[in-house]
């Protein structure tokens, strides 16, 4: 009975935890002759699924600055980040022993101005520049798909 009650307590703690909050960068670049921006996707280190750079809060640093830092560390890109969020999406963050916690992610658009040769997570992820419609198909989270679509609409209906 002791093991079962321990598992029950753990499950109850996980279920009562407040929603975790992260910040992400929707990295994009404009290519001459194209109406739609290219979106940078990268694979997660754990599952290999397609995601955008994101991370946990960093002290008092504003969310958009966290997004900028994550883009540099995870994808090696530098750019101009928007302080106003492009949107928020939710997902389940896998943690140890098969448990997951709900997370909300505030997304900030980041126009890439340069790419660095050496960055913290180089070689740990695959990176790919894709059109918005491809990005929408690759990411798993429905709300992130919607954010990408709405972002692309800024560049005109043909871009979305």
């Amino acid at each position: 009975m002791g093991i079962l009650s321990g598992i029950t307590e753990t499950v109850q703690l996980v279920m009562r935890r407040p929603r975790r909050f992260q910040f992400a960068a929707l990295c994009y670049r404009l290519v001459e002759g194209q109406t739609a921006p290219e979106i940078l996707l990268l694979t997660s280190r754990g599952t290999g699924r397609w995601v955008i750079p994101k991370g946990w809060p960093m002290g008092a640093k504003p969310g958009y600055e966290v997004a900028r830092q994550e883009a540099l560390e995870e994808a090696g890109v530098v750019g101009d980040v928007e302080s106003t969020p492009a949107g928020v999406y939710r997902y389940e963050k896998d943690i140890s022993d098969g448990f997951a916690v709900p997370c909300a992610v505030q997304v900030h658009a980041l126009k890439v101005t340069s790419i660095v040769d050496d960055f913290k997570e180089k070689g740990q992820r695959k990176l790919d520049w894709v059109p918005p419609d491809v990005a929408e198909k690759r990411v798993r989270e429905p709300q992130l798909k919607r954010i990408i679509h709405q972002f692309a609409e800024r560049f005109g209906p043909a871009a979305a």
Side-chain angles (χ1 to χ4, degrees):
M1 236 12 191
I3 293 174
L4 185 56
S5 85
I7 292 171
T8 302
E9 280 182 33
T10 301
V11 169
Q12 288 173 344
L13 281 172
V14 169
M15 300 307 272
R16 282 194 308 234
R17 284 186 187 174
R19 182 172 296 280
R20 306 288 187 194
F21 210 80
Q22 294 182 306
F23 300 99
L26 180 58
C27 304
Y28 71 99
R29 66 183 179 188
L30 301 174
V31 178
E32 194 173 325
Q34 292 182 7
T35 56
E38 288 185 330
I39 305 293
L40 179 61
L41 295 181
L42 51 126
T43 55
S44 67
R45 291 185 297 177
T47 63
R49 65 188 174 84
W50 291 103
V51 298
I52 59 176
K54 67 180 175 300
W56 301 106
M58 298 176 181
K61 189 178 276 197
Y64 64 94
E65 289 295 341
V66 174
R68 182 195 320 259
Q69 183 67 35
E70 292 299 330
L72 174 60
E73 291 179 7
E74 294 182 8
V77 295
V78 176
D80 301 321
V81 66
E82 296 178 9
S83 60
T84 302
V88 175
Y89 73 94
R90 288 164 176 66
Y91 80 109
E92 296 289 317
K93 172 78 173 161
D94 293 326
I95 56 173
S96 63
D97 300 328
F99 288 106
V101 294
C103 286
V105 183
Q106 182 174 295
V107 179
H108 293 269
L110 184 144
K111 183 178 181 182
V112 174
T113 56
S114 63
I115 299 172
V116 300
D117 290 330
D118 194 32
F119 54 97
K120 187 175 181 179
E121 296 183 14
K122 184 176 183 174
Q124 297 178 29
R125 304 168 182 272
K126 268 177 53 177
L127 306 175
D128 199 9
W129 288 99
V130 296
D133 61 327
V134 173
E136 285 180 59
K137 290 175 187 158
R138 285 192 187 175
V139 299
R140 182 173 74 181
E141 299 80 7
Q143 294 167 326
L144 179 55
K145 291 175 186 287
R146 198 167 17 258
I147 290 168
I148 292 169
H149 186 83
Q150 290 170 344
F151 174 75
E153 285 180 334
R154 293 185 189 180
F155 299 89

